[in-house]
Amino acid sequence: MPLSRGVIPIRPVTAGAPAGGALADAILAEIASALHEYLDTRQNHVIDLTGMPLSREDRQRIDAYLGQGEVSMDIHALVHSHIEETAYAGVWRVRHYDMGGGVHSERIEIIDVPEIVRASSADMAHSARRIEALRAEEGA
Amino acid sequence: MNGASVLDFARGPVFEIALAMLIFGIAWRLVGIFALRRPVDYSEPRAGTGWGSGLRMIVSRSWPRREFRERVLHWDIVSYIFHVGYAVAILGYVPHIMLIRNLTGLQWPGLPGGVIAFAAGLSAGALLALLGHRLTSPVLRRLSNFDDYFSWLLAFTPLVTGLMAYYGIGGNYQMVLGLHILAGDILFAWLPFGKIMHVILLAFSRGTTGAAYGRRGAPI
Amino acid sequence: MTDETIRDVLTRRGLSRRAFLQVCASVTAALALSPAEAADMTKRLETAERPTVIYLSYQECTGCLESLTRSFSPGIASLIFNDISLAYNDTLQAAAGQAAETAKDTAMKNAWGKYVLVVDGSVPLAQNGAYCAVAGRSAVSDLKRAAGGAAAVVAVGTCAAFGGLPYAAPNPTGAVPVSEIVRDRPVINISGCPPIAEVITGVILYYTTFGVPALDHLHRPMNFYGNTIHDRCYRRPFYDRGMFAKTFDDEGARQGWCLFELGCKGPITHNACPTTKWNGGTSYPIESGHPCLGCSEPGFWDKGGFYKALSTPTGHWSRTGVVSGAVAAGVAAGLSTAAVARARQGRAQKKAASADSEPKNPTS
Ligand code: SF4
């Protein structure tokens, strides 16, 4: 038990915080129309949840509606990113974590595969050079 | 002057000046009235000393007599809506209670913002209606002087600016809040010098009249 | 060196495009850009030249730099700042004395006319600027010289933006904000005591891709300073319902009610704390149970007290003096008016009495 709990009685409120779930509905509507848009024009769409004043209820509703899909991935680049498909194909949740493990960016992406997952041509060219260098070293 | 400096100005020097004027004015008028010579009444009192009648009139004059009701009651009700709404907004809103606590040390629980906004809105509407009445009724128009219109304006501005601040109308919140406090300061400062002094004199004037009538045995 | 792009810097550090996209996600989230703007910014950042930042400090406490470099290390903000853009900083260098001055001159010469000059701290003008001097040169002349080669000046922290603590009454050093001295370049104010790290780096990257962002009347970027704390505060429903904590340890405080009565300046303070938050998104002061001090607003030191409710007077003069003076003056005025009136009453009474006692003329 952390010291503060003993010294200062902390009684967290778990339910009944005054807030509605209006934003969650708006986000769901946005996702639906973004899916249509993607099918028609191949234009991807990103909903950045980071700066949104979402209430706990909003979050619960978003989580409940979107559920979990078939794919989940982790990226270990500069920071850790976790990507998972929701119960709806082409609707992804992308979370970037900071070094302390907190979420510093959270977004919903509507696209076939989130852009960050794809290996870029520049990085692939770099890989080719590295493999060639390795082989040259081994061959020598 | 930008919003921040208007706000600082209104909360700082202007508030103190307004408070000084309010206290000075009230002291001046009350002492000035009470230190006057009382007219000597040589007649025999018909019914007691009149104290009871004085107190009774403070209440009885709060509602029109039956004979007048048909003609004035609706306007009296509008006036009540204004006064009660105003009082709810002043005494029920927590930021205002903070001010009262700061001045007097007294405090009481406040009301939700929505209730205050509703009361203030009703009050502002009633005040506008009363102004319309004053401007259209030929009798009232003749009776009104600068004091009436000026006092109306000073009562109205804090209401409107307060509602604007509450709903975030008018863009710069600091400016709107600053103007609201400034309007309140000016209302404070003017209170004892014009007709708004009825807030305090009401009880005294009704009481004195009631006592005099009572002595003569008139029905209160 | 100056032709290097931001991508190049990351590649040189062995980081992939995914890392770059992570940086972009972080920055565009902090800037609260619309999806289209965010996509545009990512595209531009890919080819954008790395910005050159020269960071100078005057009358300050280094809290701003601490915020930037140590908030959550090695976070994205500090990566952008340290590795991508910083060309010179007084505090973060091993060099000292003459070597440091030479490094500064070289950094400025290499990017003359193009660099972003970041300044923290106010600039004192009293005593010919003697209160703050670097290498024998006063802060004011140093700043003027450095600003001469800057494309834009970013005033970081409330001291640089509005004067801050040194500017507080009675301002003994004659401190002024940067904008009072630099008048011929765009000055972007990033106020806060200190400002949020992500806001500083976000603005620098925004500037390199899109130029000067939209600013409010105090020259602060609207992306971050467009809303008040109160607008976005999660305790707002309690404010609206009239539920306030009265002390720091009462039931209301435990239940997370609004902190207005404890002096919260959230309603008049513009900053990104409720959304961007601090320490890598951990929380912000109100979330930790303390009222907002209003640190990103001009003159926040002189607003009558951090724990005084916003609706109460700042206490400009002594309250007892004001009240007792007014009572005394009012009573005196009342008594003298009454004396005049009594004298008049007396004369009128005497006249009436003598008129009564005089025998009336026989009429017929
Ligand atoms: S805690 Fe401060 S910012 Fe939050 S609602 Fe209350 S007054 Fe507004």
Side-chain angles (χ1 to χ4, degrees):
Chain A
M1 184 163 86
L3 178 67
S4 62
R5 293 238 164 174
V7 178
I8 308 169
I10 297 172
R11 280 171 253 149
V13 189
T14 41
L23 256 178
D25 293 334
I27 287 170
L28 286 177
E30 191 174 342
I31 292 174
S33 80
L35 279 169
H36 282 298
E37 165 105 22
Y38 186 81
L39 290 175
D40 293 347
T41 65
R42 299 281 130 185
Q43 178 62 51
N44 67 324
H45 188 74
V46 179
I47 302 171
D48 201 323
L49 302 182
T50 321
M52 285 191 190
L54 294 174
S55 66
R56 191 179 298 130
E57 204 181 320
D58 279 322
R59 287 196 178 276
Q60 280 166 356
R61 282 171 73 168
I62 293 173
D63 290 348
Y65 280 134
L66 294 184
Q68 268 211 316
E70 299 162 338
V71 188
S72 86
M73 286 173 273
D74 285 281
I75 294 178
H76 300 279
L78 179 62
V79 292
H80 170 208
S81 305
H82 181 71
I83 296 156
E84 57 186 36
E85 201 177 23
T86 66
Y88 305 98
V91 180
W92 302 84
R93 302 194 70 167
V94 181
R95 293 190 180 90
H96 302 298
Y97 294 88
D98 59 47
M99 277 70 181
V103 178
H104 75 70
S105 162
E106 182 182 10
R107 37 212 260 165
I108 298 173
E109 295 193 15
I110 291 90
I111 191 169
D112 52 355
V113 176
E115 214 195 330
I116 196 165
V117 175
R118 291 216 164 89
S120 77
S121 310
D123 290 339
M124 286 168 78
H126 189 58
S127 302
R129 279 198 301 278
R130 271 164 56 210
I131 292 176
E132 275 149 21
L134 187 72
R135 290 188 57 215
E137 222 172 83
E138 276 175 357
Chain B
M1 242 182 163
N2 61 25
S5 48
V6 170
L7 181 58
D8 285 346
F9 188 53
R11 288 176 67 205
V14 185
F15 177 83
E16 304 298 332
I17 293 172
L19 182 69
M21 282 175 71
L22 176 74
I23 295 173
F24 167 84
I26 292 176
W28 169 53
R29 289 196 68 175
L30 287 186
V31 171
I33 290 168
F34 283 111
L36 278 179
R37 242 185 249 267
R38 292 295 128 76
V40 204
D41 191 347
Y42 296 111
S43 63
E44 287 263 323
R46 300 231 176 116
T49 51
W51 261 100
S53 319
L55 291 178
R56 221 169 322 127
M57 184 173 272
I58 296 179
V59 181
S60 71
R61 282 281 160 100
S62 301
W63 200 247
R65 277 175 180 272
R66 191 168 303 115
E67 299 84 332
F68 302 120
R69 268 178 215 161
E70 205 190 320
R71 242 184 318 141
V72 298
L73 186 61
H74 47 292
W75 282 114
D76 276 29
I77 291 172
V78 176
S79 165
Y80 265 106
I81 293 176
F82 154 64
H83 278 90
V84 172
Y86 215 76
V88 168
I90 291 181
L91 300 177
Y93 194 44
V94 172
H96 298 160
I97 301 174
M98 291 288 92
L99 169 64
I100 296 168
R101 184 177 75 178
N102 178 279
L103 285 174
T104 63
L106 300 173
Q107 66 170 322
W108 49 86
L111 292 168
V115 176
I116 303 296
F118 181 72
L122 269 187
S123 184
L127 205 50
L128 277 172
L130 288 168
L131 178 70
H133 179 49
R134 188 181 285 282
L135 287 172
T136 48
S137 147
V139 179
L140 266 182
R141 227 188 28 212
R142 295 252 155 71
L143 283 173
S144 307
N145 59 12
F146 170 79
D147 189 354
D148 290 284
Y149 295 111
F150 188 61
S151 299
W152 182 91
L153 187 70
L154 293 195
F156 191 64
T157 9
L159 268 182
V160 179
T161 48
L163 280 167
M164 282 170 69
Y166 182 78
Y167 286 111
I169 304 166
N172 185 341
Y173 180 80
Q174 295 205 41
M175 178 63 94
V176 176
L177 183 65
L179 290 178
H180 172 66
I181 296 180
L182 205 58
D185 289 347
I186 297 174
L187 178 64
F188 259 37
W190 173 249
L191 189 145
F193 301 103
K195 293 196 178 177
I196 309 182
M197 184 66 181
H198 74 268
V199 174
I200 288 160
L201 288 185
L202 162 109
F204 298 110
S205 55
R206 279 190 192 167
T208 326
T209 318
Y213 283 14
R215 259 178 80 91
R216 290 176 206 160
I220 304 303
Chain C
M1 154 192 171
T2 37
D3 291 327
E4 207 174 22
T5 65
I6 294 171
R7 262 307 296 284
D8 293 340
V9 185
L10 293 175
T11 315
R12 188 153 47 74
R13 289 193 39 155
L15 291 166
S16 64
R17 183 179 142 83
R18 294 195 184 104
F20 170 74
L21 287 178
Q22 287 172 332
V23 171
C24 293
S26 155
V27 171
T28 54
L31 281 162
L33 296 181
S34 73
E37 286 172 320
D40 190 16
M41 180 151 188
T42 308
K43 212 185 298 151
R44 287 183 191 220
L45 278 176
E46 200 133 18
T47 51
E49 227 174 75
R50 61 176 279 190
T52 305
V53 168
I54 294 191
Y55 190 117
L56 300 179
S57 306
Y58 300 119
Q59 278 185 319
E60 49 89 42
C61 69
T62 314
C64 295
L65 192 60
E66 286 285 329
S67 163
L68 197 44
T69 54
R70 298 189 199 260
S71 53
F72 54 109
S73 80
I76 285 177
S78 67
L79 175 100
I80 294 169
F81 177 69
N82 268 333
D83 299 28
I84 298 183
S85 55
L86 193 64
Y88 176 82
N89 177 293
D90 289 316
T91 316
L92 301 175
Q93 64 177 342
Q98 194 52 51
E101 286 308 300
T102 320
K104 178 154 93 182
D105 289 342
T106 320
M108 278 173 18
K109 212 180 295 151
N110 282 344
W112 190 258
K114 289 210 286 187
Y115 56 79
V116 177
L117 179 66
V118 174
V119 182
D120 83 13
S122 63
V123 181
L125 294 183
Q127 306 288 339
N128 282 324
Y131 286 108
C132 180
V134 183
R137 205 183 300 121
S138 73
V140 49
S141 68
D142 195 54
L143 173 58
K144 276 188 182 146
R145 189 177 67 114
V153 179
V154 178
V156 161
T158 300
C159 295
F162 308 131
L165 172 58
Y167 188 80
N171 190 0
T173 64
V176 295
V178 168
S179 54
E180 295 267 300
I181 291 169
V182 181
R183 296 192 173 274
D184 53 351
R185 316 265 130 166
V187 175
I188 304 171
N189 285 333
I190 305 183
S191 60
C193 193
I196 305 170
E198 287 83 347
V199 172
I200 306 177
T201 51
V203 169
I204 292 173
L205 283 194
Y206 190 96
Y207 177 75
T208 43
T209 46
F210 295 112
V212 178
L215 303 176
D216 69 3
H217 71 290
L218 295 169
H219 292 267
R220 297 176 298 196
M222 294 292 279
N223 295 51
F224 295 109
Y225 297 91
N227 290 294
T228 63
I229 305 295
H230 187 69
D231 287 338
R232 299 277 179 103
C233 182
Y234 74 104
R235 297 192 188 215
R236 182 65 182 269
F238 292 111
Y239 175 91
D240 291 337
R241 287 181 181 188
M243 294 158 89
F244 298 89
K246 314 233 176 259
T247 62
F248 282 103
D249 58 354
D250 67 356
E251 195 54 26
R254 287 194 196 103
Q255 303 282 343
W257 292 357
C258 170
L259 301 169
F260 183 88
E261 290 195 16
L262 291 168
C264 187
K265 304 294 183 290
I268 58 160
T269 306
H270 296 79
N271 209 337
C273 305
T275 45
T276 307
K277 302 198 177 178
W278 287 85
N279 299 323
T282 307
S283 71
Y284 71 110
I286 291 171
E287 205 171 342
S288 314
H290 194 280
C292 169
L293 301 182
C295 76
S296 55
E297 295 298 320
F300 82 104
W301 287 95
D302 293 324
K303 289 207 189 297
F306 291 151
Y307 301 101
K308 228 177 215 175
L310 189 59
S311 61
T312 58
T314 51
H316 202 73
W317 294 306
S318 132
R319 179 60 43 76
T320 8
V322 168
V323 172
S324 49
V327 170
V331 170
L335 286 176
S336 42
T337 338
V340 173
R342 285 181 84 108
R344 209 184 308 129
Q345 280 178 318
R347 275 199 303 277
Q349 255 167 26
K350 222 180 278 159
K351 215 194 231 162
S354 63
D356 276 349
S357 62
E358 238 162 59
K360 286 185 181 120
N361 284 338
T363 41
S364 58

